[in-house]
C-alpha cells in the first residue's frame, strides 16, 4: 500500500451490529452489546486476541466519529499512548475545546489527510460506523479489521447501513481465529472514481 492505511477496527455480531439496542450514555454498548468485546479479556495473553489488540494499540493516530468519541467519554483526551485523535463531526462549537490531542473536523478529506500525516509510517485506527461510511464514500478508508463475534444481537446499531455508492469490493488480507472472535482483515478496492 502506497499511503498510510486508514484501518477500521470494529467488533461486529454475525448479524452486523456493533452495539446492542438503546446505546447511549450510561449504556454505551447498548443492551447485550458488551458481548461483542468479550474477546478483549485475552488482550494481555499470548494468543491471537492479544496480537490483534497490540496491533490496534500500535497505530499512530485515531479517527473517530463524534458520537463514538462522546460515548467513550472522549477517552479523557488519550485513546492510546498519546496519539492524535481526529474527530469527524457535522458541526464544531468553538466553545467546545476537545481534551488532550483531540481535534474536530467537518471535512472528511482533511481529517484523513491530517491523520495520515500524524501517524507517519503506522496505520490510523478508525472507530465508528458513521465515520467508516463517510471515509468509505470519500475513497479514504483503506482496510477493515472486523472482529466477528459468534452472536446474533437481533438489533442495535449496524456497522453498515444501505448506501447510495453501490457495491464496494473487498480483498481478503487475513483471517485469524481467536477465542470468541474471528479477526478478518479486508483491503478496500477503490473504484476509478476515487
Amino acid at each position: 500500500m502506497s499511503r498510510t492505511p486508514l484501518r477500521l477496527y470494529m467488533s461486529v455480531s454475525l448479524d452486523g451490529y456493533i452495539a446492542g439496542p438503546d446505546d447511549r450514555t450510561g449504556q454505551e454498548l447498548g443492551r447485550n452489546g458488551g458481548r461483542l468485546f468479550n474477546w478483549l479479556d485475552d488482550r494481555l495473553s499470548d494468543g491471537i486476541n492479544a496480537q490483534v489488540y497490540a496491533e490496534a494499540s500500535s497505530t499512530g493516530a485515531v479517527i473517530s466519529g463524534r458520537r463514538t468519541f462522546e460515548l467513550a467519554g472522549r477517552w479523557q483526551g488519550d485513546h492510546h499512548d498519546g496519539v492524535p485523535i481526529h474527530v469527524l463531526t457535522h458541526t464544531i462549537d468553538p466553545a467546545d475545546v476537545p481534551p488532550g490531542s483531540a481535534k474536530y473536523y467537518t471535512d472528511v478529506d482533511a481529517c484523513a489527510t491530517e491523520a495520515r500525516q500524524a501517524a507517519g509510517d503506522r496505520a490510523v485506527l478508525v472507530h465508528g460506523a458513521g465515520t467508516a461510511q463517510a471515509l468509505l464514500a470519500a475513497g479514504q478508508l483503506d482496510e477493515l479489521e472486523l472482529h466477528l463475534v459468534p452472536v446474533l444481537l437481533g438489533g442495535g446499531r449496524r456497522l453498515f447501513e444501505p448506501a447510495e455508492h453501490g457495491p464496494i469490493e473487498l480483498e481478503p488480507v487475513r483471517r485469524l481465529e481467536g477465542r470468541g472472535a474471528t479477526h478478518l482483515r479486508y483491503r478496500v478496492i477503490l473504484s476509478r472514481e476515487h
Side-chain angles (χ1 to χ4, degrees):
M1 178 167 295
S2 61
R3 64 183 184 178
T4 300
L6 300 187
R7 183 179 299 140
L8 174 69
Y9 285 89
M10 294 294 289
S11 291
V12 63
S13 67
L14 283 173
D15 51 353
Y17 294 100
I18 59 170
D22 195 26
D23 60 328
R24 57 182 161 75
T25 302
Q27 187 171 273
E28 290 78 8
L29 301 175
R31 290 190 311 275
N32 302 314
R35 169 66 181 88
L36 297 175
F37 298 91
N38 288 353
W39 69 271
L40 287 173
D41 291 345
D42 294 341
R43 68 184 174 274
L44 302 178
S45 71
D46 293 326
I48 295 295
N49 290 346
Q51 172 192 331
V52 171
Y53 179 78
E55 289 171 0
S57 296
S58 69
T59 52
V62 173
I63 295 178
S64 171
R66 181 64 180 263
R67 186 171 192 282
T68 299
F69 182 65
E70 297 298 341
L71 284 174
R74 297 179 168 203
W75 294 296
Q76 292 77 49
D78 183 9
H79 187 280
H80 65 278
D81 298 330
V83 302
I85 302 169
H86 302 77
V87 182
L88 198 54
T89 183
H90 293 289
T91 59
I92 298 174
D93 176 356
D96 181 7
V97 178
S101 64
K103 182 178 176 185
Y104 297 132
Y105 297 82
T106 56
D107 182 277
V108 175
D109 292 322
C111 181
T113 297
E114 290 190 30
R116 282 190 175 95
Q117 290 170 350
D121 61 352
R122 298 186 288 168
V124 175
L125 183 152
V126 175
H127 277 314
T131 298
Q133 292 171 41
L135 289 166
L136 196 59
Q140 294 287 357
L141 189 63
D142 301 295
E143 296 179 348
L144 287 74
E145 175 91 26
L146 302 178
H147 316 298
L148 188 61
V149 178
V151 64
L152 300 171
L153 289 182
R157 185 164 303 279
R158 287 199 175 279
L159 177 53
F160 292 110
E161 295 292 345
E164 295 180 15
H165 53 63
I168 293 176
E169 294 293 328
L170 304 174
E171 175 188 354
V173 174
R174 75 172 186 187
R175 176 187 171 137
L176 300 173
E177 289 294 336
R179 186 176 70 84
T182 301
H183 306 283
L184 303 166
R185 183 175 295 171
Y186 297 94
R187 184 173 297 114
V188 176
I189 301 173
L190 296 176
S191 70
R192 293 182 186 179
E193 296 172 14
H194 294 114

